[in-house]
Amino acid sequence: VHLDGKPDFHELSINQFNQSFHPRGDKYLRTFRLGESAQWEYEFEGVKITRTLILYRDRNAIALRYHVECAAERKILLRVLPFVAMRDFHALCRKDQAHLQTQADAQHASVSAGGHTLHLTADLGEFQPCQEWWFSHTYALETERGQDDQEDLLVPAHLLVNLNGPGGFTLFAGLDGDANGLPDFDDELSARVIPGDKPGMSVPMQRLVRAANDFVVRRRTPAGDEAATIIAGYPWFADWGRDTMISLPGLLLCAGRHAEAAETLRLFARYVSEGMIPNHFDDYTSQPSYNTVDASLWFIHACFEYLRHTKNQALFDSELRPACEEIYNGYRQGTRFGIHMDSEGLIVSGDASTQLTWMDAKCDGIAFTPRHGKAVEINALWYNALMLLGHTEQAAQTRETFARRFWINPFRGLFDVVHDDHVDTAIRPNQILAVSLPHSPLSPEQRSAVVETVRRDLLTPYGLRTLSRDDGNYHGRYTGDRMSRDRAYHNGTVWAWLIGPFLEAYLKVHGHSADAQRQVRVWLQPLLDHMNQSCIGQISEIFEGDEPHRPVGCPAQAWSVAEVLRIAQMVGM
């Protein structure tokens, strides 16, 4: 920002290069707000500049508005430098490896790479073409994670805007066809409606509903059409079958987004194969892949939750229940990865080389939480599915076997995994699902014991630890290179989504009493407070097992938000 024709200037940005920060625009920053838009306010030498960012819904496009307040006689020159990478979100840009093609004139600038083109336009000012590289942008979180942490960014043009007194302008950026015909900035804001955000809603619920909205997107299906789906987490994850089905009740059904819930369930129902739903659609080809034991069982749970919330019996009977029955038959008869029902009515899956449950960290061929065999939450989900589908005779056998094979004692709860010749006695949170799901294979006394075991050994202010601190394999810090982080990922690290099953189980064993609901609200509060930390307005994927439970992993995670929202609604927050 140049003031009154003077050669010196004020820089509003802040970037890290190696160990230094340049420029230091933070010294001018006075206020940050997050609502329908993200807004920064800067102030210096009698000038106030407000920068407002919006992301257009369902388009790969943004708008960045600058509004200047100053005396009428002031002359203001603003020079905007857009840094462009044009890369996959798992990659970094290097000048000597990048193949970026630029075009620019006074009204428009563009950068093309990989079959895509980013278009830049503005409603005031002129672009000054250039080919300017800024080297060694450094990302501290990547440094901490032991990953590549530096990249080079291209400035294809400078946008120069001259103002005489107060005024403003808007810079638009869009990818490919989504850059065409963008709605006016104010029109986009005024027309924006957050589904589920209702008048009179409490502040915590409003924030959770808004957070939930960030994960609901549309994807191209293998057939070429589009359907709603749920992004598992930002910035590294796409839509995963397991995460989608766990998140769907909280993100969509609790928010009243029944049409999108139906689209999502129908998408996965269309691609049931050998009794399994996809756990992943390829980012580039949209083709499905099948590699989990629990996603399909969570799908059955989500379908019945959809029916409970919507009473849409027609859709359920015509499309969803047939897919659920196909899963039942696949698991009973046997499907991929050795997944099958044994003679005792329990589900067996995998071998030493596979990671099929949600505790799936694996690096350089090392499986850090091998859980092949009969995993406790898989069989809790299986029993729940049998009861939901009305296969009561089979459910009776599974219930009897489950209680006999998994129960340890009132002070230890359940085994984590059962094999024919040995058992895994590690205290992990997976056993809580045998209480929290709609149908439990345990007696009331056993349910209470499981809840107390989990509370005593695993509960933290931000969710459940994945392993007791007393276990020799416990890792309290999540840091270092990928090998170190994967080793800790499910061996002590706290997962926020697990607060949902724990609190639901706690409410059940205490009869949803007023005291129990008050306690649940107390236990939820730290995660609500966390929405003012780390990624503002969101809930992190994981936290370190050791105090002070530093947030790590994805800074915004769908099932973290979904489960907090679901329980918050349950207890009337």
Side-chain angles (χ1 to χ4, degrees):
V1 182
H2 299 259
L3 300 178
D4 305 317
K6 298 176 183 177
D8 57 331
F9 50 85
H10 301 271
E11 294 179 284
L12 304 189
S13 301
I14 180 168
N15 301 281
Q16 183 173 355
F17 300 94
N18 295 312
Q19 299 302 312
S20 65
F21 293 88
H22 173 81
R24 293 306 303 264
D26 54 306
K27 64 185 178 182
Y28 303 125
L29 182 63
R30 300 293 177 262
T31 304
F32 173 77
R33 297 186 182 91
L34 183 66
E36 301 293 347
S37 60
Q39 192 172 86
W40 298 258
E41 290 182 358
Y42 302 90
E43 197 166 2
F44 50 88
E45 294 192 26
V47 176
K48 179 179 178 181
I49 296 179
T50 303
R51 182 178 68 182
T52 306
L53 173 70
I54 62 170
L55 281 69
Y56 285 95
R57 183 70 185 168
D58 293 330
R59 302 181 76 155
N60 296 305
I62 67 167
L64 192 63
R65 170 176 284 183
Y66 290 82
H67 178 71
V68 178
E69 298 176 47
C70 62
E73 67 274 10
R74 303 295 295 271
K75 295 185 181 300
I76 313 291
L77 167 62
L78 297 102
R79 181 186 295 268
V80 180
L81 282 66
F83 291 160
V84 179
M86 291 297 286
R87 57 168 170 78
D88 181 277
F89 62 93
H90 287 303
L92 291 177
C93 180
R94 300 281 195 278
K95 180 186 178 182
D96 58 357
Q97 299 171 3
H99 302 283
L100 306 186
Q101 305 296 319
T102 66
Q103 290 186 337
D105 55 35
Q107 284 74 46
H108 171 262
S110 67
V111 181
S112 300
H116 296 284
T117 299
L118 179 74
H119 298 273
L120 301 167
T121 59
D123 60 5
L124 190 66
E126 292 186 352
F127 286 100
Q128 185 180 77
C130 66
Q131 280 276 350
E132 187 175 288
W133 283 92
W134 288 60
F135 298 98
S136 301
H137 283 260
T138 303
Y139 305 129
L141 287 179
E142 306 303 288
T143 306
E144 178 186 308
R145 294 166 63 88
Q147 296 176 318
D148 289 345
D149 61 354
Q150 293 192 353
E151 77 172 332
D152 309 328
L153 298 176
L154 172 66
V155 178
H158 293 194
L159 174 63
L160 277 62
V161 179
N162 284 285
L163 297 175
N164 294 313
F169 66 96
T170 304
L171 172 66
F172 300 91
L175 197 63
D176 302 329
D178 284 334
N180 300 327
L182 289 174
D184 175 78
F185 190 99
D186 293 317
D187 291 345
E188 174 70 13
L189 275 183
S190 62
R192 182 163 296 183
V193 176
I194 305 297
D197 187 357
K198 302 173 184 176
M201 181 177 283
S202 69
V203 172
M205 286 301 298
Q206 183 181 61
R207 296 196 75 194
L208 287 166
V209 165
R210 288 171 176 263
N213 186 59
D214 291 342
F215 300 100
V216 185
V217 301
R218 305 192 67 77
R219 76 136 46 246
R220 189 165 299 282
T221 75
D225 54 348
E226 285 191 350
T229 189
I230 294 171
I231 293 292
Y234 294 105
W236 300 300
F237 297 150
D239 50 338
W240 295 86
R242 173 193 297 123
D243 299 59
T244 296
M245 297 308 145
I246 293 174
S247 301
L248 188 145
L251 294 190
L252 297 181
L253 297 177
C254 288
R257 304 176 72 159
H258 297 163
E260 288 157 306
E263 275 192 52
T264 303
L265 291 171
R266 293 177 69 197
L267 168 63
F268 281 87
R270 283 163 56 186
Y271 293 97
V272 171
S273 167
E274 300 179 36
M276 300 175 70
I277 69 162
N279 194 45
H280 180 55
F281 290 97
D282 186 85
D283 291 342
Y284 297 96
T285 67
S286 296
Q287 291 304 306
S289 61
Y290 303 84
N291 59 351
T292 75
V293 62
D294 53 352
S296 302
L297 300 175
W298 279 113
F299 172 82
I300 295 175
H301 172 73
C303 287
F304 277 87
E305 284 297 289
Y306 171 80
L307 178 62
R308 184 174 70 85
H309 277 263
T310 68
K311 307 298 188 290
N312 188 346
Q313 195 72 49
L315 174 61
F316 182 82
D317 289 343
S318 63
E319 296 187 51
L320 302 185
R321 186 181 186 98
C324 293
E325 291 289 354
E326 191 174 345
I327 291 167
Y328 162 73
N329 288 323
Y331 276 50
R332 184 170 56 87
Q333 297 167 5
T335 182
R336 299 175 180 89
F337 305 110
I339 299 170
H340 68 279
M341 186 184 75
D342 70 3
S343 60
E344 294 185 310
L346 297 179
I347 296 299
V348 184
S349 65
D351 56 38
S353 67
T354 58
Q355 290 293 87
L356 303 179
T357 74
W358 79 278
M359 291 186 166
D360 56 0
K362 189 174 183 178
C363 184
D364 294 341
I366 300 174
F368 294 106
T369 46
R371 303 185 68 240
H372 56 284
K374 304 167 191 177
V376 64
E377 83 279 12
I378 302 307
N379 282 284
L381 284 161
W382 174 242
Y383 175 77
N384 184 62
L386 292 172
M387 292 295 292
L388 291 172
L389 290 167
H391 298 297
T392 54
E393 185 174 342
Q394 180 59 67
Q397 182 199 19
T398 299
R399 178 187 179 115
E400 186 278 328
T401 307
F402 185 98
R404 174 167 49 83
R405 295 297 302 273
F406 284 98
W407 177 250
I408 304 175
N409 62 50
F411 307 103
R412 296 283 275 104
L414 304 175
F415 292 120
D416 191 57
V417 183
V418 170
H419 300 267
D420 290 335
D421 56 352
H422 67 280
V423 292
D424 184 348
T425 61
I427 298 179
R428 294 188 181 276
N430 304 302
Q431 61 182 297
I432 200 68
L433 292 171
V435 184
S436 64
L437 289 166
H439 298 279
S440 171
L442 300 175
S443 69
E445 294 77 17
Q446 289 172 328
R447 296 174 206 172
S448 295
V450 167
V451 171
E452 176 56 21
T453 297
V454 171
R455 185 205 64 78
R456 181 192 68 218
D457 279 71
L458 304 176
L459 181 63
T460 77
Y462 301 105
L464 301 184
R465 290 186 180 93
T466 41
L467 186 63
S468 169
R469 284 179 292 184
D470 297 329
D471 196 291
N473 290 320
Y474 173 79
H475 293 269
R477 297 296 180 203
Y478 180 86
T479 188
D481 60 16
R482 181 184 170 188
M483 179 71 76
S484 300
R485 286 181 285 109
D486 279 356
R487 183 177 289 110
Y489 203 36
H490 300 111
N491 286 313
T493 298
V494 174
W495 286 73
W497 81 269
L498 292 169
I499 200 70
F502 171 74
L503 294 182
E504 185 167 20
Y506 180 87
L507 287 168
K508 285 184 173 182
V509 301
H510 290 87
H512 288 263
S513 68
D515 284 345
Q517 292 190 51
R518 279 192 291 272
Q519 179 61 69
V520 164
R521 287 192 284 270
V522 169
W523 276 330
L524 272 183
Q525 192 60 49
L527 281 162
L528 296 173
D529 295 340
H530 169 70
M531 298 182 78
N532 293 322
Q533 306 151 6
S534 193
C535 182
I536 304 300
Q538 278 293 343
I539 301 178
S540 297
E541 174 192 19
I542 52 178
F543 299 77
E544 289 186 325
D546 286 351
E547 291 80 0
H549 306 297
R550 183 173 65 103
V552 285
C554 280
Q557 190 80 357
W559 58 12
S560 300
V561 173
E563 286 297 276
V564 172
L565 191 162
R566 188 175 68 86
I567 302 300
Q569 186 179 82
M570 190 180 294
V571 296
M573 293 192 77

